[in-house]
Amino acid sequence: MIIDVHAHPYFLKEMCGSEEQVKFRRDNFGLYKIALQDIDLFKRQIAAAGIDKVVLLPLDLSSTAGGTLMSNHDMKYLEDLAPDTFICFGSIDPNSKTALSDLRTLIKDFGLKGINFNPSSQHFFPNDKAILYPVYEIAQKYNVPICFHMGMSWEPNSLLQYANPLLLENVAKDFPDLKFSISHFGWPWVVESCILAMKYTNVYIDTSMLYFDSPREFFKYVFSSQIQPSWIDRSLSNKVLFGSNYPRIEQLRMREALEYAGFREETLHKILELNPIRFLNLQGEYYDQNIF
Amino acid sequence: MTKIYSKAIKTSQSIQMIRMGNIVSDIVQESSIQTGVVNIITLHTTTGITVNEGLDCLELDIVDLLKKLVPDESPYVHAHFLPSYGRTSANATSHLRGLLLGNNAVFPIQNGKVLFGGAQEIYLVELDGPQERKISIVVSGD
């Protein structure tokens, strides 16, 4: 059961209602030239990459852009279109007055499987106790994992000041039962991301990073120059999640890059399968729980 | 008389050879043109159109040859973020393999049928799949 924990559904044909909506997504996600593709083709691409399930991430940009890239209602609809393949997260705007009620709806009414935040695009500091801690309390109470996009973000209105993974240390410490991932390996703050994942049991990192060169070359650089493959094999094999960042890059190429990064086979198995299953609370559905 | 048809084909593998002879024959028949030529043209830069014998073994050899001539591991320059796209180009191999195959094939039409040689098959070669590909088939003649 190989799971990609980081993909975006904004250009799936079934979810694109109007040209205006597609333009809003292109302009605010910053992906300008991409053909709309239907779910059937997306499933072919997933299959070609040897992936079984995909976590799809929406984003609520109400405060910073005046709308959502995809609403939680649409994410529920999308998951129902392919429940065997799609694991849909929801999103809330932390700066909105309705953030907490939106979160409860996301969890209790729509049954979405996690929460997606992009502090750099949504313009908030994730360690802001007044605004965010009530959100984290609810997420922790319902055991809903959070995906934090940290590090460099390609969205045009994103700011790095909100994206240093160290901003999450208080969250990790104050909410020890709240599982969250640092997306994009927090690049360029890769060492900082590794430190947090090593120190805090509730912190994961995902591999959805591609900023220079090809996927294979970039992974080789990160895992051989910024850190060592042995760091992952020896200390973080239970904390890294496979994420592609589709559609900014094909899942097949990110999967191949991971396979060539120099990790032990056992580590790859954990990154591709066991760790995502644990992070997403899917143990009971798919695996002998003794493994965990 | 010239008639232009378009065909959309969904592929399912990263590299895939798709036989198109029957599709082209059906379109020529539909055109009612008895004498002329048919051009099969891909509208993409990471596919190829080629002609070869329609055998599974040869298809494997052709794919192996393309991978050998254009290896996956090489310091291609077309591997960087493209601001106008908002994504990274990582498909230099697909473009370069397509360069070797070309974008079209042409066949004569005689008595309303495509004049194939005894072993000939027309292939759309997917080089960056899975994708939805558009093929233009232009039938000209009388």
Side-chain angles (χ1 to χ4, degrees):
Chain A
M1 177 58 59
I2 292 178
I3 302 175
D4 172 2
V5 303
H6 192 126
H8 300 281
Y10 308 135
F11 303 103
L12 293 177
K13 200 174 284 183
E14 290 86 345
M15 305 307 295
C16 292
S18 66
E19 287 185 19
E20 186 181 344
Q21 186 179 48
V22 174
K23 184 177 186 309
F24 179 84
R25 290 175 184 171
R26 289 190 195 285
D27 290 347
N28 289 286
F29 188 58
L31 187 56
Y32 309 108
K33 290 187 184 178
I34 181 172
L36 303 185
Q37 61 179 53
D38 60 27
I39 289 174
D40 174 66
L41 181 58
F42 184 43
K43 285 185 171 181
R44 289 172 187 240
Q45 294 171 340
I46 293 166
I51 293 166
D52 300 294
K53 282 181 172 282
V54 181
V55 173
L56 295 169
L57 306 170
L59 196 59
D60 187 336
L61 295 174
S62 296
S63 294
T64 54
T68 62
L69 292 180
M70 195 171 282
S71 71
N72 294 330
H73 180 275
D74 284 351
M75 293 304 291
K76 171 61 177 166
Y77 174 79
L78 178 58
E79 187 168 82
D80 289 344
L81 291 178
D84 293 337
T85 308
F86 296 161
I87 299 169
C88 288
F89 276 33
S91 178
I92 59 168
D93 179 356
N95 293 310
S96 164
K97 290 178 180 174
T98 61
L100 292 181
S101 63
D102 291 345
L103 178 60
R104 290 190 184 94
T105 302
L106 178 166
I107 296 171
K108 299 177 79 171
D109 295 347
F110 294 139
L112 296 173
K113 306 300 188 297
I115 307 162
N116 186 46
F117 283 124
N118 188 330
S120 57
S121 289
Q122 294 179 296
H123 294 185
F124 70 89
F125 289 100
N127 58 352
D128 185 324
K129 291 188 177 182
I131 295 176
L132 271 304
Y133 272 35
V135 171
Y136 301 147
E137 283 170 8
I138 293 173
Q140 181 174 253
K141 176 182 175 183
Y142 288 99
N143 193 23
V144 175
I146 295 177
C147 169
F148 285 107
H149 294 246
M150 303 304 283
M152 164 76 177
S153 183
W154 291 116
E155 280 91 349
N157 193 30
S158 60
L159 294 170
L160 282 164
Q161 65 173 323
Y162 300 110
N164 190 318
L166 292 181
L167 294 169
L168 293 168
E169 181 169 22
N170 282 339
V171 182
K173 179 175 69 68
D174 294 339
F175 296 90
D177 295 324
L178 173 65
K179 282 187 288 192
F180 66 81
S181 67
I182 300 171
S183 284
H184 314 308
F185 241 86
W187 195 89
W189 295 291
V190 171
V191 173
E192 288 85 343
S193 300
C194 288
I195 290 167
L196 291 182
M198 186 168 62
K199 182 174 179 183
Y200 297 98
T201 58
N202 52 333
V203 179
Y204 292 74
I205 320 172
D206 91 34
T207 65
S208 60
M209 56 174 168
L210 177 57
Y211 298 96
F212 292 101
D213 304 323
S214 70
R216 286 190 195 192
E217 290 168 324
F218 192 68
F219 274 34
K220 185 177 178 184
Y221 160 68
V222 169
F223 293 121
S224 298
S225 297
Q226 286 196 276
I227 63 172
Q228 295 296 317
S230 59
W231 290 22
I232 308 298
D233 280 332
R234 296 171 185 171
S235 301
L236 293 168
S237 68
N238 293 319
K239 307 305 287 293
V240 178
L241 310 167
F242 170 62
S244 68
N245 208 21
Y246 165 92
R248 286 202 196 277
I249 188 68
E250 292 79 16
Q251 289 158 315
L252 176 62
R253 293 195 166 92
M254 294 300 273
R255 168 98 192 261
E256 286 177 345
L258 186 69
E259 306 267 1
Y260 280 83
F263 301 131
R264 294 174 59 91
E265 279 299 318
E266 298 86 344
T267 302
L268 283 174
H269 179 49
K270 289 180 176 180
I271 293 172
L272 290 163
E273 300 192 63
L274 301 186
N275 298 344
I277 286 171
R278 189 188 326 106
F279 179 70
L280 296 164
N281 302 313
L282 299 176
Q283 296 98 317
E285 289 184 50
Y286 296 106
Y287 257 86
D288 178 353
Q289 295 191 41
N290 292 332
I291 292 173
F292 303 95
Chain B
M1 183 196 311
T2 296
K3 294 184 178 178
I4 300 177
Y5 299 84
S6 69
K7 189 78 183 170
I9 296 174
K10 273 184 192 167
T11 61
S12 57
Q13 298 169 29
S14 60
I15 301 181
Q16 184 179 0
M17 297 192 66
I18 297 134
R19 299 180 191 188
M20 292 196 60
N22 289 340
I23 294 171
V24 174
S25 291
D26 289 346
I27 286 175
V28 167
Q29 189 170 1
E30 182 185 333
S31 76
S32 299
I33 288 175
Q34 297 298 303
T35 305
V37 292
V38 56
N39 285 273
I40 304 97
I41 304 162
T42 172
L43 303 185
H44 304 277
T45 55
T46 56
T47 61
I49 299 284
T50 193
V51 176
N52 217 290
E53 188 164 4
L55 294 172
D56 293 347
C57 51
L58 272 172
E59 292 171 5
L60 294 172
D61 286 337
I62 290 167
V63 171
D64 285 350
L65 177 66
L66 290 171
K67 288 181 176 176
K68 186 177 176 183
L69 292 173
V70 184
D72 289 333
E73 295 271 16
S74 192
Y76 300 108
V77 180
H78 185 64
H80 61 97
F81 186 74
L82 293 169
S84 63
Y85 280 71
R87 55 160 289 157
T88 295
S89 65
N91 61 349
T93 54
S94 310
H95 287 282
L96 298 177
R97 289 166 184 160
L99 180 75
L100 300 176
L101 295 170
N103 78 328
N104 71 92
V106 59
F107 276 84
I109 299 169
Q110 189 177 59
N111 299 324
K113 293 183 177 176
V114 182
L115 190 59
F116 287 113
Q120 284 184 315
E121 174 61 90
I122 305 167
Y123 283 100
L124 163 67
V125 186
E126 171 61 79
L127 299 164
D128 196 15
Q131 294 282 349
E132 181 166 340
R133 299 306 197 172
K134 290 181 182 145
I135 309 301
S136 185
I137 299 170
V138 183
V139 190
S140 300
D142 300 317

